[in-house]
Amino acid sequence: MVKLHIHRERSIESLLKEHKGIILKVCAMYVPHRHPHSEEWREDVRDLFQEIALKLVESWPKYRGKCSESTWVYRIATNVAISNLRRFAKRRIVLVDETTLDLLEAEADDEIVERLYRRIDKLSDDERQLITYAIGKVPLKEVADIMGLTEDAVKHRMQRTKEKLRNMKDDYEE
Amino acid sequence: MTMKNNDDILEVLEQHWERVDEIAEQSHVRVVRWHLPESPRRWVRSIAASVVAIAAAAVLLFITVPQPDGIYASNLSHRNEAIEYINKMRTEVIL
């Protein structure tokens, strides 16, 4: 059977409209929560959101549909979050409205969520990636492909990371 | 929201993500298009067009603007005739 590769044009707006939820979740997972209610934190979220959005548009022509589109977005977003955390572009191209940042901040204001993120901040890049994929319900096989591991290894590491997160002591308990 | 014991922590994260999804649904993201990086091909095209335009302007200037001796470069036969005439006059004056 001949497989047709159709070049699909995709604007930055349509990609963002569909996947801004995933981008925001990855931003929340990866922007450190040392100062959750500061302009520094909001600026980091704006920067990471922009970097992920631009990378998605840049990488779109290479997407061949081998995995689901949401898995592809998770993969790009976590890679950008890990590699670009400390070297963001200065120019503002993608603008997130202030209300969204206010709501995100208010959401992180919850004591339990704050505790959760303080624990997540202590995870390694790989562990954080695994938790992101697990909660994002990315299929095990696709996680294995992304991380270059066997499905069994992913399952084992995911379980271990979940246990680590559960058993981690909060700062005030130490 | 309560977290009675540590077993709930992943459930808390899932619920939190659902709320972030709701926030994203209501969010407005704007893209400032004119700052988007242009493709190299577009850059090459615009540079080539500029070079052609500058060359065309230079040729037009050379043809239409008179030379210091008042003769248009576009009419080279007149120019040659004039030079011949001047040389002839010079020769006559010297003689």
Side-chain angles (χ1 to χ4, degrees), chain A residues 2-153:
Chain A
V2 180
K3 195 176 178 183
L4 288 174
H5 287 291
I6 301 162
H7 180 70
R8 293 155 301 164
E9 286 291 331
R10 192 83 191 263
S11 70
I12 186 166
E13 285 89 355
S14 71
L15 267 170
L16 288 180
K17 193 179 172 190
E18 208 167 321
H19 301 297
K20 58 190 175 184
I22 296 177
I23 305 177
L24 267 187
K25 284 183 279 192
V26 171
C27 288
M29 285 291 282
Y30 281 86
V31 172
H33 290 73
R34 284 187 297 272
H35 311 289
H37 307 297
S38 64
E39 186 49 38
E40 189 190 338
W41 184 81
R42 290 169 79 99
E43 199 58 16
D44 284 349
V45 172
R46 287 189 197 108
D47 282 341
L48 184 55
F49 193 99
Q50 167 166 301
E51 287 298 316
I52 294 170
L54 294 180
K55 192 70 186 170
L56 287 178
V57 179
E58 191 191 313
S59 307
W60 176 252
K62 293 175 212 155
Y63 173 60
R64 292 282 174 266
K66 284 179 183 170
C67 59
S68 72
E69 207 174 293
S70 60
T71 300
W72 175 76
V73 174
Y74 269 115
R75 178 187 197 155
I76 301 272
T78 49
N79 281 345
V80 171
I82 291 165
S83 61
N84 277 9
L85 210 53
R86 279 171 198 85
R87 49 185 179 89
F88 295 120
K90 293 290 170 213
R91 269 192 321 184
R92 186 71 61 214
I93 298 161
V94 180
L95 306 165
V96 184
D97 64 324
E98 293 302 308
T99 316
T100 301
L101 294 172
D102 289 343
L103 289 169
L104 205 63
E105 225 172 25
E107 175 55 35
D109 207 12
D110 185 282
E111 192 201 324
I112 308 296
V113 175
E114 208 176 316
R115 268 172 65 190
L116 173 73
Y117 275 125
R118 283 183 190 282
R119 290 187 189 189
I120 288 170
D121 281 350
K122 291 177 191 167
L123 296 177
S124 71
D125 285 341
D126 276 358
E127 289 167 339
R128 204 184 303 214
Q129 206 172 358
L130 280 167
I131 288 292
T132 306
Y133 294 151
I135 308 296
K137 299 191 170 40
V138 177
L140 213 59
K141 188 185 175 307
E142 293 178 357
V143 178
D145 283 346
I146 293 170
M147 301 194 78
L149 299 167
T150 62
E151 281 184 53
D152 280 343

Side-chain angles (χ1 to χ4, degrees), chain A residues 13 20-21 25 29 74 93-95 97 100 103 107 112 115-117 119 131-132 135-136 162 166, chain B residues 1 3 6-7 9-10 12-14 16-17 19-21 23-24 27-33 35:
Chain A
E13 285 89 355
K20 58 190 175 184
K25 284 183 279 192
M29 285 291 282
Y74 269 115
I93 298 161
V94 180
L95 306 165
D97 64 324
T100 301
L103 289 169
E107 175 55 35
I112 308 296
R115 268 172 65 190
L116 173 73
Y117 275 125
R119 290 187 189 189
I131 288 292
T132 306
I135 308 296
K162 283 177 183 175
R166 282 192 189 109
Chain B
M1 196 191 318
M3 188 161 66
N6 280 341
D7 289 343
I9 198 156
L10 292 169
V12 169
L13 186 56
E14 276 182 31
H16 165 63
W17 274 32
R19 287 192 299 276
V20 174
D21 264 334
I23 293 170
S27 69
H28 297 284
V29 180
R30 204 157 58 84
V31 180
V32 186
R33 293 202 73 84
H35 280 160

Side-chain angles (χ1 to χ4, degrees), chain B residues 2 36 41 59:
Chain B
T2 54
L36 283 174
R41 195 179 290 176
V59 169

